């Protein structure tokens, strides 16, 4: 197998794993986060700007740490707005998270095309980040880097959080039945806010990691498909972070080789998105059928 495509598939899977943990958390809590695309874009944008303009005198690991924390925070706050709207206005979390994402993406694209655009390159992108802070490829010439191991470790960590901690068990109970959670004495507002904060933050980290290891700049529209693919991976894994590893690998290889096939055969439409749509449809049908059976 060609190491270039294998490495790129593994690298893409790592992004699905990281964002997928956020998607899985939202599924577990019952507040579906459909704003992953905008949260990934925002995290990548903020991370790229910080890394491009931080003083070079700072150690690279400090710069990376600051960028990751900033990306996590801003995307968490974007997701948190949906939680606040649900609490104070009884707005649907799924709907508002999608609207917030749809609203923030053109704003970021406008900033990239305007004041934040690189003055030295012809791309619609922010300035490139310094070489010192970039994640180095571990399988040249592909873009595979240490983010693959980061993604796997995060999946294992989130598995233990969800299944072995009191907080994780409360989250699962709240996601199944908010009313039961309330009468059990749990703080539903605290659970909803913390879940939305974590879910948004993991998508933000995904965007920043994509800048650090794959693109090295935030170019217009780099986020496209990342959020939805991560959500698909979480659905395939049934919101189990451990199963998120094989489901992300499956979608990573599927997307990479479907795009390769389309390129080699001059196919003009997005084959990988079409295949993912079919998978999502089949998953949704299975969930609907199961729910209908339970209702009967």
């Amino acid at each position: 197998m060609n190491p270039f495509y294998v490495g790129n598939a593994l690298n893409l899977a790592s992004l699905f794993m990281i964002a997928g943990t956020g998607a899985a958390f939202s599924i577990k809590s019952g507040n579906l986060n459909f704003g992953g695309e905008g949260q990934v874009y925002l995290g990548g944008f903020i991370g790229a700007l910080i890394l491009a303009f931080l003083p070079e005198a700072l150690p690279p690991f400090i710069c990376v740490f600051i960028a990751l924390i900033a990306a996590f925070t801003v995307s968490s706050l974007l997701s948190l707005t949906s939680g606040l709207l649900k609490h104070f206005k009884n707005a649907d979390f799924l709907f508002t998270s999608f609207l917030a994402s749809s609203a923030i993406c053109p704003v970021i694209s406008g900033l990239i095309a305007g004041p934040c655009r690189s003055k030295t390159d012809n791309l619609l992108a922010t300035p490139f980040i310094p070489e010192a802070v970039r994640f180095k490829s571990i399988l040249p010439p592909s873009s595979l880097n240490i983010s693959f191991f980061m993604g796997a470790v995060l999946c294992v960590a989130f598995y233990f959080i969800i299944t072995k901690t009191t907080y994780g068990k409360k989250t699962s109970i709240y996601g199944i039945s908010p009313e039961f959670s309330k009468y059990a004495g749990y703080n539903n507002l605290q659970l909803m806010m913390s879940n939305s904060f974590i879910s948004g933050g993991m998508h933000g980290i995904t965007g920043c990691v994509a800048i650090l290891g794959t693109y090295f700049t935030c170019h217009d529209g780099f986020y496209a498909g990342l959020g939805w693919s991560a959500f698909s991976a979480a659905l395939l894994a049934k919101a189990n972070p451990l199963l998120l590893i094989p489901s992300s690998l499956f979608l990573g290889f599927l997307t990479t080789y479907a795009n390769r096939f389309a390129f080699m055969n001059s196919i003009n439409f997005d084959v990988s998105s079409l295949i993912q749509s079919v998978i999502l449809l089949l998953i949704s049908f299975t969930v609907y059928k199961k729910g209908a059976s339970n209702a009967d």
Side-chain angles (χ1 to χ4, degrees):
M1 298 179 74
N2 191 318
F4 175 75
Y5 290 106
V6 172
N8 284 345
L10 291 173
N11 181 59
L12 190 57
S14 70
L15 299 178
F16 294 166
M17 287 182 210
I18 300 172
T21 56
F25 226 84
S26 77
I27 295 170
K28 280 290 183 182
S29 69
N31 295 307
L32 300 184
N33 182 4
F34 272 21
E37 299 273 286
Q39 292 154 18
V40 168
Y41 201 11
L42 180 59
F45 176 69
I46 295 298
L49 289 182
I50 289 174
L51 291 166
F53 294 109
L54 274 178
E56 293 185 6
L58 285 175
F61 73 92
I62 295 293
C63 295
V64 171
F65 180 75
I66 292 172
L68 288 172
I69 292 297
F72 181 93
T73 303
V74 294
S75 295
S76 292
L77 293 175
L78 180 62
S79 178
L80 200 59
T81 57
S82 298
L84 292 171
L85 287 170
K86 179 175 180 178
H87 177 68
F88 290 107
K89 297 295 183 181
N90 199 30
D92 185 76
F93 191 98
L94 181 154
F95 184 64
T96 56
S97 63
F98 177 75
L99 284 182
S101 172
S102 300
I104 199 69
C105 288
V107 173
I108 297 171
S109 293
L111 290 172
I112 291 174
C116 298
R117 184 175 181 180
S118 173
K119 303 297 188 294
T120 58
D121 302 292
N122 294 323
L123 298 173
L124 269 178
T126 60
F128 279 88
I129 64 176
E131 291 275 354
V133 297
R134 298 180 184 181
F135 290 167
K136 302 298 186 291
S137 173
I138 57 178
L139 187 63
S142 75
S143 52
L144 179 64
N145 55 76
I146 61 168
S147 63
F148 180 80
F149 304 104
M150 288 174 56
V153 168
L154 281 170
C155 286
V156 174
F158 269 78
Y159 171 78
F160 280 99
I161 290 172
I162 289 175
T163 60
K164 304 299 181 181
T165 67
T166 302
Y167 174 72
K169 292 173 182 177
K170 285 181 179 180
T171 294
S172 298
I173 292 170
Y174 167 68
I176 295 169
S177 175
E179 289 298 320
F180 182 82
S181 173
K182 178 181 177 181
Y183 286 112
Y186 301 157
N187 189 330
N188 282 6
L189 175 61
Q190 186 182 69
L191 286 170
M192 178 184 66
M193 292 302 181
S194 60
N195 296 157
S196 60
F197 193 80
I198 293 170
S199 178
M202 296 313 298
H203 283 92
I205 284 182
T206 303
C208 190
V209 166
I211 300 303
L212 283 162
T214 305
Y215 302 111
F216 311 127
T217 180
C218 181
H219 65 78
D220 185 22
F222 86 88
Y223 65 92
L226 263 178
W228 291 115
S229 296
F231 197 85
S232 300
L235 283 177
L236 279 173
K238 297 184 178 180
N240 183 327
L242 273 187
L243 296 180
L244 189 58
I245 296 174
S247 68
S248 296
L249 287 169
F250 169 70
L251 285 179
F253 276 89
L254 175 68
T255 302
T256 300
Y257 280 92
N259 289 336
R260 178 178 182 270
F261 174 81
F263 176 75
M264 293 296 184
N265 293 276
S266 301
I267 298 175
N268 295 324
F269 59 87
D270 192 343
V271 177
S272 63
S273 294
L274 177 63
I275 295 172
Q276 287 183 46
S277 299
V278 173
I279 292 172
L280 270 175
L281 178 64
L282 292 174
I283 295 170
S284 302
F285 178 75
T286 303
V287 172
Y288 171 77
K289 187 176 180 181
K290 184 178 178 181
S293 300
N294 291 338
D296 293 339

